[in-house]
Every structure is written in C-alpha cells, then in structure tokens.
Amino acid sequence: MKWTKVAMDRSWWPAGLRVRLLLAFASLGLTTTAVVAGAGYVQARDVILQQAQDAAVVTLTEQIAQLGPIRSLPPSQADLDAIAAGLANRDDSVIAVYQDRSSSHDQTSAMLPPKLRAKVGGGRVVWQRQSERGRPYLVIGTQLMLDESEGTPRPSGLEVYRVHSLVAEQVSIDRLAGWAWLTGGLSLAFAVLLALLAARGVLRPVRELGEAARRLGDGDLTTRLTVHGSDELAGVARTFNYTAERLERQVGELRRMEADARRFVADVSHELRTPLAAMTAVTDVLDEEAPRLPGDAGRAARMVSQETQNLTQLVTDLIEVTRFDSGTAALNLDDVDVAAAVRATLRGRGWTDRVVTDLPPGTLARIDPRRLDVIMANLVGNALRHGAPPVSVRLRAEPDWIVLSVHDSGPGLDPGVLPRVFDRFYKADSARTRSEGSGLGLAIAWENARLHRAGAHRGGLEAGNDPAGGAVFTLRLPRRCVDPSPPADHRLPADHRLPADHRLPADHRLPADGATR
C-alpha cells in the first residue's frame, strides 16, 4: 500500500474552524453593512443637503426679485442696511457689500469665502458649504442689477450674501449615521449568530468524524458514523464507513493469520518437547560413549548431541516467544540483590574469570530474578561470542531505576545493524546463517526487559557503541516493578488456540525477527 503525505502550511490560518467561520461571516456582514449603509448614508446626506441648498437659493432669488433693481449708485450705508434687513429672516443672516463697504451685519463677513466672492457677478447665483467650529453653514451670493430706463439692467457691483445654517440638516445626517451604525451592529450580531449556527451544523459532524477516527486509531474497528442527508459531509461519512469496514475485514484477516501462525509455532514447539526429551536422554548416552567410539562415529555422536541441544534451546526459545506474543508471559517478582544475582548468573555459566565486574553490593530491586538471569546470560554470552575481551558488567543504582551495562572490546556494532539488533532471527553477519545461536536471544532479552514495569514506565534494553570502542548493551529496570500479567506458572497447553480477534497492547512492539551479533 502506498501512502502519500500532503503537507499544508497553515501557519497563517486562524486557529479552529469555528473561529474561521465566525471571522468569515463577520467579515461578510461588516462588508455588506458598510457598503449598503455607507451608500445609503451618502445618498441621503446628499439629498438632504441638496434640498436645503435649493430651498435657500430659491428663497434668496425670490426675495431679490421682489426687491427690484438698484436705481442709484453708490448706495448709502442706510441703503446697504435696508437691503440686508429686507432679505434677512429669523434663521439666516444677510450681508450687503458694495466695494469696501458692507451692511451693519458685518460680524459675519469673515464667514464669506474669498473664492466664492470672486465668482459673484453678472447676476449669477453661486453658493458654497462651509464649517466653522463644527457648525456647518451654506453661503449663497449674487450681485444685484442696476435699473436703467434706456436699456437692459446691468450689474451694479452691489453684492448680497446669505449665510444659511445647516445645523438642522447636520442633526438629520447624524441621525442617519447613528441608524447606519446601529444597522451595522445588528447586522454583525446577526452574522455572528448565523456563523454560530452554521459552525454548529458543520462542526458537529466534523467532531463526530474526528472522534470516530480516534476510536478507529485506538483499535475499535467496529466504529461507524451515522449518515445524515446527502451533502458533502454525508459523503465523507459514507467514505469513512466504507474505509472502516474494509479495514475491519483486512485487519480481522491479518489477526486470524497471525493467530494461526502463533498457534502453529506454539503447537509445533510443544509437540517437539516429548521427542526432544527422548532424544536428550539418548544423547546423554552418546556423550558417554563418544570418547570410545572410533573416528567418524565419535564425531557424529558429538554432532548429534550438540544439534539436539541446539534444537532443544530453540524450542524453549520459541515457546517463550509465543508467551510474549500471546500476552501470557508473567513476572514472578521478588526482592533481589541485583549484584548477587548477576554474580550468580556469571558463576553458574562459568564466566566469572572471563568477565570484569563493577557491581556495588546492597542494590535491592523488586524484579523477576529468573528473567534478569535470562537477560544477563544473553547479553554476556553474546559479548563473549561476538565481541572481544575484556568483557565488563557494570551496575549503577538510581532512585527509581537500576542500570546494568555490558561492554565488550570488539569492533562494535555496525550503524546499519543497530536498528535491527533486537529483531527475531536477525544475525548481523549474513554469512553466519548457521551458528550456535538461534537469533532469538537478544529478542527474548528485550521482551523480558519490557515486561518489567512501574506504572506507565517500562524497563528497556538499548544497544550502542562506546566512543572508545566496543559494543554496549544497557539494561534499565524499575526498582519497584508491578505485575499486571497472568500467574507465572501459566503455560500454553499443546492444543492452545489464540482467538482470531486477539489484540496486542497499543504499545507492543513486534521485532521482525531475532538477533545475535
């Protein structure tokens, strides 16, 4: 099966689909509100100002028409005051200007923009909006005509300016702006509400899919999703169910095949024990007679004896491996003086004179002494066979752990061997297909180390190379182990059958083969 990994850079994405939906809906609501309310506000403001402007211009034009043409120039100050008073009303002020003189209402003359004054002339009416101290107003200007009896009226040079307040219009515009802001706020709140509803509708099946995927990853292959509707999410749910169903069938088949293989190994191993027991008894006789047998007969007898011992050890190792795989391997815990136990291992195998030890006495730990013996026998025997002297064993005590290291002085392990050194039936020397070792020793040592645990922490066995030369195997065991496994005397019967749905622990590691160097 080929797996394709697709990498996606999400460093710039907001965290969480819910947040992204809220931001998207809020952005859409704000944008729509800004466009609609802004356009409506601008259009309404222009209409209000245009109506106020047109009304003021029309009023001034009508009043000037009723005033009539100027009959004599230059006008007196009284004439200027009279013109201004006649055109003024309660809300607006009027300024009459002739050359450098103006009416008595010149307190507002500073409000006349110079650009507007430059455009006044020829009887045209001009206007301009201004603002002073935050108060808007409209300035309208025109020039009165001189009445000539012999011809048409001509400009008199007398200018009239009306200052019309736009405060009322500004209040109306501000009210419109307030309504626009209120509409925007309500629109944003509505958009957020819609986003929450949409997020709930979208995220609920997504959360269900995530939870189902987690359960499926944890080994519950019966996990299925309830399909609602016919949209894209429903399609994803159907695809998930189809994938889970296919995976359940394939994993079930693999489990069945794995259980059959384990059962076969266990059955064969147990069936071989009886004939091997008889063969061992025969080889004991051959060992006694071999020195008296001539030539090839003596060598054949010794070879048969040696191969029978190797086959017996292989069967014993295979039975032990099947117990690890089926989860029936158990600890028989006891308070052990680790230094004394390691010395007993070396003494029992005649290795005391060949191994240098650094074993501080009095290091106590609650572990399985038989499994410690198996681990150390495999490690030291492996170092003696495939390393170079001197071989050393060191013990280091920590508050919660004991650490045992086995160091030889050989060439060390090839870097390509290290990842597989604890695999079953793996031998670092490919040419050494036949040797005194089965290739299961280090794998069994690794499993025995892992079997010791304290809480969530397991023991471990690591392989490496010393910078000064030689291979180093480091064993770490908890000082206070617990045993959650079956009783130590549990044994697989010859007709033992593993269930097809047998499930390994989540953290179980199956080495591919076994290892000796």
Side-chain angles (χ1 to χ4, degrees):
M1 184 180 294
K2 183 178 180 182
W3 296 87
T4 302
K5 184 178 180 180
V6 180
M8 301 180 67
D9 182 12
R10 300 188 176 185
S11 58
W12 59 273
W13 287 13
L17 183 57
R18 182 186 299 274
V19 176
R20 294 201 295 272
L21 284 173
L22 287 175
L23 289 178
F25 274 80
S27 299
L28 178 61
L30 284 177
T31 302
T32 304
T33 302
V35 172
V36 175
Y41 167 78
V42 171
Q43 184 177 7
R45 182 195 63 183
D46 292 343
V47 169
I48 292 174
L49 293 177
Q50 188 67 39
Q51 289 178 348
Q53 175 181 293
D54 292 345
V57 170
V58 169
T59 300
L60 180 61
T61 303
E62 292 176 349
Q63 289 178 338
I64 291 175
Q66 295 176 1
L67 185 63
I70 301 300
R71 299 185 180 278
S72 62
L73 291 175
S76 63
Q77 185 64 43
D79 293 335
L80 292 176
D81 293 340
I83 293 173
L87 297 177
N89 57 35
R90 183 178 59 182
D91 299 325
D92 302 339
S93 60
V94 176
I95 305 171
V97 179
Y98 182 79
Q99 295 180 357
D100 57 350
R101 292 184 297 112
S102 62
S103 63
S104 58
H105 299 283
D106 57 356
Q107 67 274 13
T108 58
S109 60
M111 302 172 63
L112 302 180
K115 292 183 179 180
L116 180 67
R117 295 194 62 183
K119 296 179 181 180
V120 174
R124 293 177 301 173
V125 179
V126 295
W127 57 85
Q128 183 174 338
R129 289 195 291 268
Q130 292 288 111
S131 179
E132 181 180 7
R133 298 177 182 177
R135 298 176 65 86
Y137 60 92
L138 176 68
V139 180
I140 307 171
T142 188
Q143 191 176 116
L144 300 182
M145 305 301 291
L146 180 64
D147 185 13
E148 293 186 350
S149 57
E150 296 180 357
T152 58
R154 60 183 179 83
S156 64
L158 177 59
E159 301 169 1
V160 176
Y161 298 93
R162 165 168 283 177
V163 179
H164 176 70
S165 175
L166 296 177
V167 173
E169 287 75 10
Q170 184 63 45
V171 171
S172 299
I173 294 173
D174 291 343
R175 188 180 296 112
L176 286 176
W179 278 106
W181 280 108
L182 179 60
T183 303
L186 294 176
S187 176
L188 177 60
F190 184 67
V192 171
L193 178 61
L194 287 180
L196 290 175
L197 294 176
R200 181 180 180 183
V202 172
L203 293 181
R204 180 169 51 81
V206 171
R207 283 195 299 268
E208 292 176 356
L209 178 61
E211 178 64 21
R214 186 192 62 78
R215 294 199 305 270
L216 188 66
D218 289 341
D220 184 5
L221 301 182
T222 61
T223 302
R224 298 294 186 272
L225 288 173
T226 303
V227 180
H228 301 284
S230 58
D231 56 6
E232 289 79 0
L233 291 174
V236 172
R238 280 191 290 269
T239 302
F240 177 87
N241 290 341
Y242 172 77
T243 304
E245 182 180 356
R246 291 289 302 274
L247 184 62
E248 183 181 17
R249 287 202 301 267
Q250 293 178 4
V251 171
E253 181 65 19
L254 290 175
R255 286 174 175 170
R256 185 191 63 77
M257 294 171 62
E258 181 184 21
D260 289 344
R262 290 176 182 169
R263 183 175 61 248
F264 175 77
V265 173
D267 292 346
V268 170
S269 300
H270 283 282
E271 291 297 330
L272 286 175
R273 296 186 73 177
T274 300
L276 280 174
M279 292 173 63
T280 301
V282 173
T283 57
D284 290 341
V285 176
L286 289 177
D287 288 338
E288 295 176 357
E289 297 294 331
R292 293 188 292 272
L293 293 175
D296 292 341
R299 288 191 295 271
R302 286 189 291 271
M303 182 180 297
V304 169
S305 177
Q306 182 62 45
E307 292 300 327
T308 301
Q309 293 177 12
N310 292 342
L311 182 57
T312 301
Q313 183 61 44
L314 175 60
V315 169
T316 302
D317 290 345
L318 287 175
I319 292 175
E320 187 71 9
V321 167
T322 59
R323 287 173 178 167
F324 287 125
D325 289 348
S326 63
T328 59
L331 292 174
N332 186 11
L333 298 177
D334 196 3
D335 292 327
V336 177
D337 185 330
V338 180
V342 173
R343 288 194 183 94
T345 297
L346 300 178
R347 185 171 55 252
R349 289 163 178 81
W351 293 337
T352 303
D353 297 336
R354 302 172 60 187
V355 178
V356 179
T357 60
D358 180 10
L359 305 171
T363 303
L364 298 178
R366 185 167 182 78
I367 56 178
D368 188 331
R370 183 185 71 84
R371 296 190 184 276
L372 175 63
D373 177 76
V374 171
I375 297 172
M376 295 307 298
N378 276 291
L379 296 182
V380 176
N382 193 69
L384 291 173
R385 283 194 302 271
H386 307 296
V391 174
S392 63
V393 178
R394 296 184 179 88
L395 170 63
R396 186 176 77 252
E398 298 178 355
D400 299 321
W401 298 85
I402 59 168
V403 181
L404 282 161
S405 60
V406 178
H407 182 193
D408 65 54
S409 301
L413 293 168
D414 187 272
V417 171
L418 287 175
R420 300 192 60 191
V421 72
F422 296 112
D423 291 353
R424 298 174 185 176
F425 297 107
Y426 178 73
K427 298 181 180 181
D429 186 359
S430 59
R432 191 167 50 84
T433 56
R434 284 289 300 149
S435 68
E436 67 277 13
S438 64
L440 288 173
L442 290 181
I444 291 175
W446 187 88
E447 295 282 5
N448 277 317
R450 294 265 301 167
L451 198 60
H452 290 78
R453 65 186 303 163
H457 303 288
R458 288 180 177 268
L461 182 59
E462 298 177 355
N465 290 315
D466 193 305
V472 180
F473 287 83
T474 303
L475 172 66
R476 289 176 57 86
L477 297 179
R479 298 194 70 163
R480 300 295 298 176
C481 291
V482 295
D483 183 14
S485 51
D489 60 351
H490 176 80
R491 299 181 59 181
L492 290 172
D495 59 349
H496 175 73
R497 294 295 185 269
L498 290 174
D501 61 348
H502 173 73
R503 183 178 301 173
L504 292 176
D507 58 351
H508 182 77
R509 172 183 176 270
L510 275 177
D513 292 308
T516 57
R517 283 193 294 132

